[in-house]
Amino acid sequence: MTESPRHKCSSCGRLTVEYSKFKCPKCKETEICRCYACREKHVPYKCTACSFEGP
Ligand SMILES: [Zn+2]
Ligand SMILES: [Zn+2]
């Protein structure tokens, strides 16, 4: 099986294969995943660890 891993978008909660992943700018521990749709719309995300919200 060669199914590509899916990641849950931190903004909309949908599973996505096209995403950008980065560390939370505040706690730098949690990895935030955002799908391209949310990134283009600048939908805010929320860190699950420290509740940091960012664009
Ligand atoms: Zn999204
Ligand atoms: Zn955080």
Side-chain angles (χ1 to χ4, degrees):
M1 271 208 280
T2 54
E3 200 171 309
S4 54
R6 286 166 184 258
H7 290 263
K8 201 173 175 186
C9 172
S10 298
S11 295
C12 66
R14 279 184 292 199
L15 292 174
T16 177
V17 287
E18 288 187 49
Y19 61 92
S20 56
K21 194 163 71 172
F22 54 94
K23 291 264 169 72
C24 169
K26 194 180 175 188
C27 65
K28 294 182 173 61
E29 283 184 22
T30 309
E31 282 193 325
I32 313 273
C33 292
R34 280 215 302 172
C35 68
Y36 279 17
C38 288
R39 202 181 64 170
E40 281 187 10
K41 291 181 197 164
H42 301 286
V43 180
Y45 58 85
K46 191 173 183 181
C47 174
T48 51
C50 67
S51 298
F52 174 82
E53 288 186 59

